[in-house]
């Protein structure tokens, strides 16, 4: 086993999630970097991380850092990923991989150039055990040919005009928000489960709040602030709060999905239903320890997560016995475990067991097609 030491870039919500998951798989955290030296210092103290870096150059020069986890606003991803690879560091980046497909294509090429470095995009929802079980059922032919896939990803943390976070700003996160932030998780998940790629899209997007109130300081994701009214200002918003997309998959399957960050009561609900010629599957991340298996000629089933009765692949991503629920944090643990096991094996010709930069690039192309579809009010081919 190689000696690994990780650095985390980003001190918001994702920074703490990554720190917890790394500790659960016994990967030493060498240091943390925020947007300024004070944020680095505060995060290092709060998370009990030994080093508070002042800039990226310090991370890249630190021989104890072998891998870098990037959880910064989207506009920083391209340069940070590029510099880390050029410095010989393994990289695990939060989605999206970059702000546009020109940048993401360059990062795919860099990943190929530095083939002895692991390069991943953290689509962690792949690693829920019952999602892996669904993938195995589909690949084993239990559903038959996939006919259509439907679903949604809904949240309510931006459901009020006074809710604010950097993600609502196009200059920070890109021209798409709900689709790029949470919709890409859905696209990556169902594509990886069914081994299908989206071929073309027809989208309808809506900005519910074209003006939001912004407090004097930044607001961490999924948190709320009761700012002094004298310290807030109105900012124009042109990223979407809601979106619906019709899908055509290569091979003929069809699909529909809607995403929303303004659905009251839905905290973090990713749903899919996959209809096959022989059976169907349905799963909801807010009840992530069970999956519904639909039949026509016999009673439908509800499978509860239990490593004793699941496939070996799903059981390997399960840490606790049946009845001992696993969830969001565990999906990060399993994602990171797959990443670091791949590094330890050092077989750079093996197929990575996680979402690669090529997968991340595909999601950026998909977002660009969805945006173009909204602008032209027409079907658009992915990668057109």
């Amino acid at each position: 086993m190689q000696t690994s030491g990780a650095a985390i870039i980003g001190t918001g919500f994702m920074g703490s999630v990554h720190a917890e998951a790394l500790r659960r798989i016994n990967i030493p955290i060498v240091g943390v970097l925020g947007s300024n030296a004070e944020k680095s210092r505060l995060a290092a103290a709060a998370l009990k991380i030994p080093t508070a870096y002042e800039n990226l150059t310090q991370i890249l020069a630190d021989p104890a850092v072998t891998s870098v986890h990037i959880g910064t606003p989207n506009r920083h991803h391209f340069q940070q990923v590029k510099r880390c690879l050029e410095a010989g560091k393994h990289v695990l980046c939060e989605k999206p991989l970059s702000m546009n497909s020109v940048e993401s294509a360059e990062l795919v090429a860099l990943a190929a150039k530095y083939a002895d470095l692991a390069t991943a995009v953290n689509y962690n929802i792949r690693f829920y055990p019952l999602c892996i079980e669904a993938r195995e059922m589909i690949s084993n032919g239990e559903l038959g040919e996939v006919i259509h896939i439907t679903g949604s990803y809904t949240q309510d943390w931006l459901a009020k005009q006074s809710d604010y976070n950097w993600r609502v700003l196009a200059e920070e996160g890109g021209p798409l928000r709900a689709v790029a932030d949470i919709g890409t998780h859905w696209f990556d998940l169902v594509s990886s489960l069914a081994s299908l790629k989206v071929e073309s899209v027809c989208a309808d997007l809506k900005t519910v709040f074209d003006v939001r109130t912004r407090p004097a300081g930044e607001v961490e994701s999924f948190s709320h602030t009761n700012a002094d009214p004298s310290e807030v200002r109105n900012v124009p918003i042109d990223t979407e709060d809601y979106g619906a997309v019709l899908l055509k998959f290569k091979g003929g399957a069809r699909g529909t999905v809607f995403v929303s960050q303004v659905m009251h009561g839905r905290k973090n609900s990713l749903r899919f239903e996959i209809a096959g010629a022989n059976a169907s599957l349905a799963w909801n991340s807010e009840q992530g320890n069970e999956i519904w298996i639909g039949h026509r000629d016999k009673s439908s089933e509800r499978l509860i997560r239990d490593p004793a009765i699941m496939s070996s692949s799903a059981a390997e991503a399960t840490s606790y016995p049946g009845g001992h629920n696993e969830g969001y944090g565990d999906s990060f643990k399993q994602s990171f475990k797959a990443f670091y096991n791949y590094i330890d094996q050092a077989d750079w010709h093996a197929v990575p067991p996680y979402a690669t930069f090529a997968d991340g690039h595909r999601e950026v192309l998909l977002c660009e097609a969805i945006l173009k579809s909204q602008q032209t009010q027409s079907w658009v081919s992915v990668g057109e």
Side-chain angles (χ1 to χ4, degrees):
M1 179 176 289
Q2 299 179 0
T3 301
S4 297
I8 298 172
I9 308 178
T11 58
F13 172 67
M14 275 296 111
S16 61
V17 174
H18 280 238
E20 178 188 17
L22 284 166
R23 286 183 169 130
R24 292 179 67 190
I25 61 170
N26 299 311
I27 299 297
I29 305 172
V30 180
V32 62
L33 173 64
S35 57
N36 56 58
E38 178 65 6
K39 285 191 174 181
S40 297
R41 185 189 66 78
L42 291 173
L47 298 172
K48 303 296 188 293
I49 294 174
T51 303
Y53 295 108
E54 294 186 4
N55 52 57
L56 180 56
T57 300
Q58 290 181 346
I59 291 178
L60 303 183
D62 190 342
V65 175
T66 59
S67 61
V68 180
H69 289 236
I70 297 174
T72 53
N74 305 348
R75 67 183 177 89
H76 299 295
H77 290 182
F78 173 70
Q79 285 296 336
Q80 289 172 342
V81 169
K82 183 177 180 180
R83 290 186 63 189
C84 288
L85 288 179
E86 291 172 342
K89 312 293 186 183
H90 304 290
V91 176
L92 191 149
C93 184
E94 279 298 324
K95 51 78 200 143
L97 182 57
S98 67
M99 293 277 274
N100 59 65
S101 60
V102 174
E103 292 178 346
S104 59
E106 183 174 342
L107 294 181
V108 171
L110 274 177
K113 177 181 179 181
Y114 299 104
D116 57 349
L117 295 175
T119 49
V121 182
N122 187 40
Y123 284 110
N124 59 290
I125 301 177
R126 288 189 182 197
F127 289 89
Y128 277 83
L130 288 177
C131 290
I132 296 174
E133 184 73 2
R135 184 193 70 198
E136 293 299 302
M137 292 177 67
I138 295 169
S139 67
N140 291 337
E142 294 181 45
L143 266 67
E145 181 183 358
V146 173
I147 300 169
H148 61 76
I149 304 175
T150 60
S152 60
Y153 200 154
T154 53
Q155 301 173 330
D156 72 355
W157 70 291
L158 295 171
K160 297 181 179 180
Q161 189 269 343
S162 57
D163 293 329
Y164 174 82
N165 176 261
W166 63 262
R167 298 175 192 275
V168 304
L169 302 178
E171 62 267 26
E172 293 287 336
L176 289 181
R177 188 226 312 158
V179 169
D181 185 30
I182 57 178
T184 52
H185 270 298
W186 190 91
F187 290 121
D188 175 79
L189 178 63
V190 301
S191 294
S192 65
L193 295 184
S195 297
L196 294 174
K197 291 184 178 181
V198 178
E199 184 175 59
S200 57
V201 297
C202 184
D204 179 50
L205 312 178
K206 180 176 178 60
T207 302
V208 177
F209 299 108
D210 55 9
V211 173
R212 287 181 180 266
T213 54
R214 178 176 183 173
E218 284 302 316
V219 180
E220 187 173 302
S221 299
F222 299 101
S223 65
H224 301 285
T225 180
N226 294 315
D228 184 332
S230 66
E231 295 180 350
V232 302
R233 58 188 175 90
N234 289 333
V235 292
I237 304 297
D238 57 8
T239 57
E240 83 286 356
D241 295 298
Y242 161 87
V245 189
L246 294 172
L247 309 167
K248 293 180 181 178
F249 294 94
K250 290 184 178 179
R254 296 294 192 265
T256 59
V257 61
F258 73 88
V259 296
S260 174
Q261 293 178 314
V262 294
M263 181 172 280
H264 289 270
R266 292 298 181 194
K267 304 305 177 182
N268 192 49
S269 176
L270 184 153
R271 299 168 180 260
F272 67 74
E273 293 196 13
I274 302 176
N278 301 329
S280 301
L281 293 174
W283 183 80
N284 175 7
S285 64
E286 289 188 338
Q287 288 83 45
N289 284 270
E290 62 182 68
I291 192 167
W292 178 85
I293 306 169
H295 304 288
R296 171 170 169 165
D297 297 322
K298 62 179 181 178
S299 296
S300 295
E301 306 168 69
R302 188 175 59 140
L303 174 64
I304 307 299
R305 182 203 55 79
D306 185 346
I309 59 175
M310 296 189 303
S311 65
S312 59
S313 295
E316 287 175 6
T318 306
S319 296
Y320 305 122
H324 299 73
N325 284 347
E326 296 176 80
Y328 181 77
D330 300 279
S331 71
F332 281 79
K333 181 186 77 172
Q334 297 296 344
S335 176
F336 295 178
K337 182 180 176 182
F339 180 71
Y340 284 98
N341 282 347
Y342 189 78
I343 293 171
D344 289 340
Q345 292 166 7
D347 180 2
W348 310 115
H349 296 291
V351 177
Y354 46 76
T356 65
F357 278 13
D359 295 318
H361 173 57
R362 180 74 185 176
E363 296 302 318
V364 174
L365 288 170
L366 180 54
C367 284
E368 291 180 344
I370 290 171
L371 181 61
K372 183 176 180 181
S373 175
Q374 166 67 16
Q375 293 168 340
T376 61
Q377 291 291 284
S378 64
W379 280 92
V380 172
S381 297
V382 178
E384 185 177 281

